[in-house]
Structures are given as C-alpha cells and as structure tokens.
Amino acid sequence: MTEQMNTQDLLSIEDLSIVYEVDGETTYAVNNLNISLKRGETLGLIGETGAGKTTTALGIMGLVPNPPGRIVNGKVIFDGEDLLQLPKEKMRSVRGNRISMIFQDPMTSLNPVMTVGEQIAEVIQIHEGVSKQSSFQKAKEMLEMVGIPAARSGDYPHQFSGGMKQRVVIAISLACNPDLLIADEPTTALDVTIQAQVLDLMKDLKTRYNTAMLLITHDLGVVAQVCDKVAIMYAGEVVESGDIRDVYENTKHPYTKGLFGSIPDLDLTVGRLKPIKGMMPDPTDPPSGCKFHPRCPDATAMCSLSEPEPVLTESGHTARCFMLQAMAEPLAAQKPLTELNRVQG
Amino acid sequence: MHRFILKRLLLLIPVLLGVSLLVFAIMSFTPGDPAQLILGENAPAEAVAELREEMGLNDPFVLRYAHFVGNAVTGDLGQSYTSGRDVFDEIFSRFPNTLILAALGVLIAVVIGIPIGIISATRQYSMIDSGSMIFALLGVSMPNFWLGLMMILLFAVNLGWVPSGGYSSWSSLIMPAITLGTGSAAIITRMTRSSMLEVIRQDYIRTARAKGVAENVVINRHALKNALIPVITVIGLQFGMLLGGAVLTETVFSWPGVGRMMVDAIRQKDTPTVLGAVVFLATTFSLVNLFVDLLYGFVDPRIKSQYA
C-alpha cells in the first residue's frame, strides 16, 4: 500500500443529518456529523443511549428505516464515492461486501429458520458469485476462523449460546473481507468474560485483514482496548474527537470530562459515583446554542445563544466548546474533519 | 417425534369420548321417539313399544352410551333410522365430496390470501394495502351462505353458467368452493399481513439487508418463512372448519357431503347418523390439527427440537 493511499480517508462523513418524522413531530437524531476513518484504523464512536450512534451507522449502511427516518443532508464518502448518491442496486453490492455491520443483539440478529451455514454462505454467494457448494465450503472456513467447529454449520441459531451467535454474526460480516466493519455495540448483550473473547477475536481479525472499524459503544474501557481514534457523540453531534490517547489524557469538553468522571476509580474511596447531572435533551426539541449547556457545569450566558464550532486543541484533537474557542482559533464553519486530519497528519 | 405423534393420538380418545357423550346426551334427552320415527306416525302403540325394547331404548342412559361406544370402537356406528343403511359406509361414501370441497376452498384461500397479505405488508398504508384490507373485512364479515345464495342467483339462475347445486360435474364445484374460500381467504390475508408486518421489523431482516440481500429475497426467503408460522395455524384451523363446518354451504348448494348429511339427520332425529358424523368430523379436525403441528416442525426448527 502506498503512502498516498494510507493517508487518504476510507470513510469520511460530512455534515450528515438524519431525522425521524413521526406524526408531524421531528426527531433530530444526527446533526451535522463529521467523522473520518483511514484504512485499517479503528474509530470508537462513544455516547449515551439516544446520542445517535446507531442511526449514524445505519446512515452509512443506507439502512435508515424510511419512513420514518430520512437523511436530510450530508455526504458519506466511502473510498471516494458518496454512498448517499449511489443507486439502490449499487449500494446493495457495497453492503455486506465492502462495508459490513455487526449488530448489538446477537440473540435477534440471526434468522431463526435458517442454518448458520446458510446465513454465512448467503453473503458469499451474493457478492463473490461463487457456486453454492464453494460458498458453503467458505462458510465452514469462516466458522472455524471465529472458533466454531465447521461441523456445526448445519445447526440453527437457537442451538448456539449468545457469545457463539455473535461469533456467527462476525463470521457473516467478515466473510467477504470488507474494507470497513461497523460494529454497533457488539459486546453489550454479552456477559463480561465473553465480551473479552469477542473483542479479542474482532481485534485479531481486523489486524489480519487490515479492516477499518467503526466501533460504536458506550463502554469507555472497550474503546481504550481497541481503538486508535475516538469521537464522543452527544445529542446527535460529535463534541470531541481525535487520537485516543490525546482525548483520554487531555480531555477538553465538559461532557467528555463528565463521562470519564463517571467511571468509578477503585483506588479512591468515594461514597458515590459521579453521574452527569440531568438528562439527554429531548431530540424533538433540542436546546438552543450548545446542546450540552443545560447540563454543563461551566456553562455561560453565551452557551445558550450560539453553537460553538469545533476547534483544534493545543494537543491536537478537536472539541466543540466556547471555553476552547476563547483560547484557540476556531476552525472554519462547516469545515469537514477530513481537512483537520490532514492538519494533524 | 414418534412419541409426540403417539401422545397426540392418545389424546384423541378423551376428546372423542367427550364429544360423543355430549351429542349422545343431547339426542337422548330431546323429545322425539326413534321407534315411532322408524315405524311411522300411524304405527300401533304396541309395535312401537316392542321396537323400543328391541332397540334397547328403554335401557338406562349410561348403558345405552356404553353400548354405543362398545360398537363404535369396532367400527360399527349403527344403522341410519331413516334409510336403514350403515352409518359408517354412508359417511365414507360422502366424505370425498366434503374433502374435495374443503381442499379446493382452502386452496383458493391460500392462493389469494398469502400473496395479498405479503403485498399489503410490504406496502403498508398504500392504496393496495387499504384496498385489500377493505376486501378482507368484507370477506370476513359477509355470511358465506348469503354469498352462496347471491352467486346462485347471478351465475346459475340469471346467467346459467354453472349448475345451482348438486354434484354433477366439475363445474358444480366452482361456486361452493369460492363461497367457502372467500371467508378463509380474508382471514388468511389479514393474518399473513399482520404476521409479515411484525417479521419485517425484526433484527434479522435488518441483518439480511445489511448483507446486501435483494429486497425480494429478503421478503420471500428471510421474512416469509418466519411469517408463515402463525399463518399455517390459521390455514389448518380453516381447513378443519371447512371439513366440519361447511354445513351451511353444503346445504345452500345441496352438496352431497357429510355436513349436509348431518343437518338432514338432525332434522329427522336420526341419532346414529348424527353421532357418527360428529365423531367422524371431530376425528378429522383433530387429525388436521396434529398434521399442522407436525408441519410447524418443518418450518420452524425451534419447534422441531421440542418434539424430541
């Protein structure tokens, strides 16, 4: 791989906005979101439930349920092509092939009336145009690769445990050797010991095939384990993003600080956890100005009036907060993160 | 699997005992004297009394019922009071007529109901959906004997396209089968639609789409098989009901089936025929249900593993 290719973004989301419209009420799920990802890189997308993480993922996949969902603006540029402009048929050939997705709940994401072998073989048949027989052969290899004996390919999902089902889902998603893997809380539904196994497996396979990964989670520990970069989402926006080490060590945004602050530290004897006060804003009626200001301990009068633009921190990542804006030069309005990465790189 | 079938067949015994006891009691305790019926209105009282004694009608109820069950298990359902023919033979000579009508009715219902249900579900709230739901509502709420009568009026009496009743040629089948099928088609349409609507919102359908599966394959392969599970139950129930409950339709079209035979027998207080017909229909209904339960196993592997 040339240096040129390595620095080019594999995925770059620019100003993506997605809304859900139900009975005349609009839910602003994703608002002017910008993220980018290079080949082989892992980006952790962190946020509370309802922050718009899954909607973002579905937006990339072109699977936002419509109605009620609608992508109102933005671009999803994947390998130089805007996926949102692709005709349906072409998008189908991307899905499961070049971009694939692992869903949150393995218990419900496999078809109960098809054998796991069939379900893995299907994706191979669709995208690689091979015979039924050789697709089943490859399905068996995929099963072995995720640590399930090939002999079990004729079994149905209900005959597997949760962790094994998630392995099957991983086998399906990696069967066509995708460039980008979107993992939507892949370990949330699993118990802790299995979580570690599944994460290790994903990490291992990802490195082996140089797959880029967008890991959606609310588990900061998981992000620290696997990710190169991180983007923190709040109310449909990225509030802070950049290199994982930098964001963890030089946290700037009050929301991110709050997130980290709510992790209990076993070395300190404290009576209570420190939650972020308040609730996520109602997405049908987002607050004015900075979306976090109603909960922000450092909020000033300005925060409720206008929205802060992402700025580059002195350590080199970006955050959206007026406290930083006072110190640093704001990036040009609406400037995609792609630009920013070049500055960083 | 074999144990499951055996268990279900054994369960038939109490069901049939219950059904036959109920019908036997109703027939015994309602007014009307079979002996008088056989000998005619003007028969002398002594002759009637003699026949009553001979038929065992003076025995206690329990003894008479035990006698009936004793004969029935050997396949002897007695003779019709009115025709004197063997009830068992009578039922089996008429059953094929009922079976072919019910089968055709269900076939019509399935061929119409399932595709329309699928289309309605995939285009929820569209014109097609609203239109087919209106027809389904009509089909469910319209009494089918009325539909039968209207069809006779139009196609047999006015247009003369098909015979109005009886079973003379295959064309006699058309109207009764459509009459029977309409109600079932409506029920199957609604069931398929609602089941499909539920299934296409499942996570595994999203997984299939995420794999790049074409939309028609998502519906016909991934969703349909899951959606069919409750629909199969309904089809089975409908088939069972058409076998036993086609009474009105058979009467309207003077169809020589078991249902009409039963209605005639009830009118004439022909106890052996009524009993035989009811026991027979209860058996077929149970067997159809057993068959449906077995069919689940082929559609849903989760159920199959429970049969073991």
Side-chain angles (χ1 to χ4, degrees):
Chain A
M1 203 177 282
T2 64
E3 188 67 17
Q4 177 66 34
M5 272 189 79
N6 219 0
T7 51
Q8 205 193 343
D9 287 324
L10 175 69
L11 174 77
S12 152
I13 300 182
E14 296 171 10
D15 301 325
L16 184 69
S17 296
I18 304 176
V19 298
Y20 292 104
E21 287 159 336
V22 181
D23 294 333
E25 197 173 53
T26 308
T27 303
Y28 300 91
V30 176
N31 307 309
N32 290 316
L33 182 105
N34 288 289
I35 48 178
S36 68
L37 193 59
K38 291 185 180 58
R39 264 175 213 281
E41 241 179 8
T42 300
L43 170 71
L45 194 57
I46 309 178
E48 291 170 72
T49 304
K53 306 175 304 251
T54 302
T55 303
T56 305
L58 293 176
I60 300 170
M61 295 291 285
L63 288 177
V64 176
N66 177 14
R70 199 158 60 84
I71 296 178
V72 283
N73 73 288
K75 289 179 182 162
V76 176
I77 295 172
F78 175 73
D79 207 12
E81 250 182 323
D82 186 359
L83 295 182
L84 301 182
Q85 304 302 328
L86 279 189
K88 267 188 183 167
E89 277 300 301
K90 258 194 139 171
M91 189 58 211
R92 266 205 313 111
S93 69
V94 173
R95 252 186 248 140
N97 186 23
R98 302 197 57 204
I99 307 180
S100 60
M101 186 160 173
I102 299 173
F103 294 98
Q104 184 170 351
D105 189 355
M107 307 312 260
T108 56
S109 50
L110 291 172
N111 193 329
V113 302
M114 286 169 77
T115 66
V116 297
E118 278 177 85
Q119 297 190 52
I120 303 171
E122 188 181 32
V123 70
I124 300 166
Q125 269 175 57
I126 293 171
H127 298 296
E128 307 202 336
V130 293
S131 73
K132 205 169 176 177
Q133 205 176 2
S134 57
S135 72
F136 272 90
Q137 192 48 47
K138 181 152 185 222
K140 284 180 183 170
E141 286 164 23
M142 289 308 297
L143 272 182
E144 291 276 354
M145 199 175 77
V146 295
I148 296 174
R152 297 204 59 187
S153 68
D155 285 354
Y156 289 93
H158 73 275
Q159 291 162 292
F160 292 87
S161 67
M164 283 176 99
K165 275 185 211 169
Q166 197 62 309
R167 284 163 187 270
V168 173
V169 174
I170 292 172
I172 292 174
S173 62
L174 292 177
C176 293
N177 202 356
D179 296 319
L180 172 65
L181 177 65
I182 302 172
D184 185 4
E185 309 203 22
T187 57
T188 307
L190 306 175
D191 66 56
V192 182
T193 46
I194 309 297
Q195 275 185 15
Q197 285 180 16
V198 168
L199 269 185
D200 282 344
L201 176 72
M202 283 171 53
K203 227 163 83 177
D204 177 46
L205 296 174
K206 189 187 101 57
T207 344
R208 209 189 303 175
Y209 295 109
N210 196 31
T211 310
M213 180 157 82
L214 179 65
L215 178 67
I216 296 172
T217 181
H218 49 237
D219 188 333
L220 295 163
V222 167
V223 173
Q225 256 184 73
V226 257
C227 296
D228 308 309
K229 294 202 303 190
V230 64
I232 320 279
M233 265 187 102
Y234 183 79
E237 289 174 350
V238 171
V239 292
E240 186 159 12
S241 66
D243 179 69
I244 178 125
R245 196 157 266 285
D246 191 31
V247 173
Y248 272 50
E249 282 170 8
N250 304 306
T251 311
K252 291 293 182 223
H253 197 280
Y255 176 66
T256 320
K257 285 182 189 160
L259 267 190
F260 291 155
S262 53
I263 304 172
D265 189 337
L266 292 182
D267 297 334
L268 296 172
T269 339
V270 280
R272 291 178 148 270
L273 290 174
K274 278 190 288 178
I276 304 174
K277 288 199 173 65
M279 300 272 284
M280 276 264 275
D282 177 2
T284 60
D285 181 24
S288 61
C290 170
K291 301 233 167 22
F292 187 59
H293 86 262
R295 299 171 77 183
C296 184
D298 308 316
T300 61
M302 181 162 62
C303 298
S304 62
L305 296 175
S306 64
E307 219 175 330
E309 293 302 328
V311 288
L312 199 60
T313 67
E314 65 258 46
S315 55
H317 69 270
T318 55
R320 266 177 188 237
C321 181
F322 283 120
M323 287 197 303
L324 297 165
Q325 217 151 358
M327 292 179 268
E329 273 297 297
L331 290 164
Q334 307 289 315
K335 195 175 222 178
L337 253 159
T338 351
E339 300 285 311
L340 190 68
N341 281 318
R342 292 210 184 103
V343 175
Q344 274 177 261
Chain B
M1 189 78 156
H2 295 298
R3 277 194 54 186
F4 174 78
I5 297 175
L6 191 69
K7 219 160 70 184
R8 288 288 300 265
L9 288 178
L10 287 177
L11 265 174
L12 249 179
I13 296 170
V15 169
L16 292 182
L17 279 176
V19 166
S20 60
L21 180 62
L22 195 69
V23 176
F24 197 86
I26 293 172
M27 294 306 282
S28 305
F29 296 129
T30 45
D33 186 350
Q36 186 84 60
L37 197 85
I38 292 169
L39 294 175
E41 294 284 327
N42 305 319
E46 305 87 65
V48 173
E50 202 178 308
L51 187 63
R52 281 186 64 87
E53 190 58 41
E54 196 186 317
M55 287 169 71
L57 290 174
N58 293 329
D59 293 343
F61 172 77
V62 179
L63 199 66
R64 275 183 289 147
Y65 179 66
H67 191 66
F68 163 76
V69 173
N71 284 334
V73 291
T74 64
D76 176 14
L77 293 170
Q79 280 81 39
S80 163
Y81 288 164
T82 48
S83 68
R85 289 176 60 186
D86 210 39
V87 170
F88 195 85
D89 294 342
E90 187 78 353
I91 290 172
F92 274 88
S93 71
R94 282 163 167 265
F95 181 59
N97 298 339
T98 295
L99 185 67
I100 193 167
L101 193 58
L104 207 60
V106 165
L107 187 74
I108 291 175
V110 168
V111 167
I112 295 176
I114 292 184
I116 293 186
I118 295 171
I119 295 169
S120 282
T122 49
R123 309 212 170 107
Q124 198 186 4
Y125 304 133
S126 68
M127 290 289 281
I128 297 177
D129 183 30
S130 314
S132 51
M133 281 306 100
I134 289 170
F135 276 106
L137 191 63
L138 265 177
V140 171
S141 42
M142 184 167 46
N144 58 11
F145 69 87
W146 181 81
L147 176 67
L149 288 172
M150 290 303 116
M151 284 208 297
I152 290 176
L153 199 62
L154 183 62
F155 296 111
V157 180
N158 288 343
L159 296 171
W161 289 352
V162 281
S164 66
Y167 188 11
S168 44
S169 68
W170 65 269
S171 61
S172 322
L173 265 167
I174 300 174
M175 286 202 297
I178 292 176
T179 305
L180 277 184
T182 309
S184 301
I187 294 171
I188 291 172
T189 306
R190 288 161 64 104
M191 196 67 214
T192 307
R193 177 179 179 269
S194 67
S195 173
M196 199 73 183
L197 278 176
E198 200 184 306
V199 168
I200 53 181
R201 282 169 177 64
Q202 296 293 316
D203 285 355
Y204 53 81
I205 297 301
R206 191 180 56 184
T207 308
R209 294 204 173 107
K211 279 157 72 174
V213 178
E215 194 56 29
N216 63 329
V217 182
V218 170
I219 298 299
N220 294 323
R221 184 164 173 204
H222 289 260
L224 188 58
K225 209 175 168 194
N226 284 287
L228 275 186
I229 296 163
V231 177
I232 286 174
T233 317
V234 172
I235 295 174
L237 284 174
Q238 289 295 317
F239 185 53
M241 272 166 61
L242 294 194
L243 277 179
V247 176
L248 280 174
T249 308
E250 288 191 359
T251 308
V252 167
F253 289 98
S254 350
W255 189 257
V258 181
R260 203 176 115 234
M261 177 184 90
M262 191 164 69
V263 174
D264 290 346
I266 292 170
R267 216 178 273 144
Q268 292 160 353
K269 205 167 161 62
D270 184 356
T271 311
T273 309
V274 176
L275 268 174
V278 169
V279 167
F280 176 77
L281 291 176
T283 312
T284 9
F285 193 81
S286 306
L287 290 180
V288 167
N289 269 320
L290 173 59
F291 178 71
V292 166
D293 284 352
L294 293 177
L295 206 61
Y296 282 158
F298 289 97
V299 179
D300 191 341
R302 287 166 298 184
I303 296 173
K304 198 177 201 167
S305 59
Q306 289 166 12
Y307 287 162

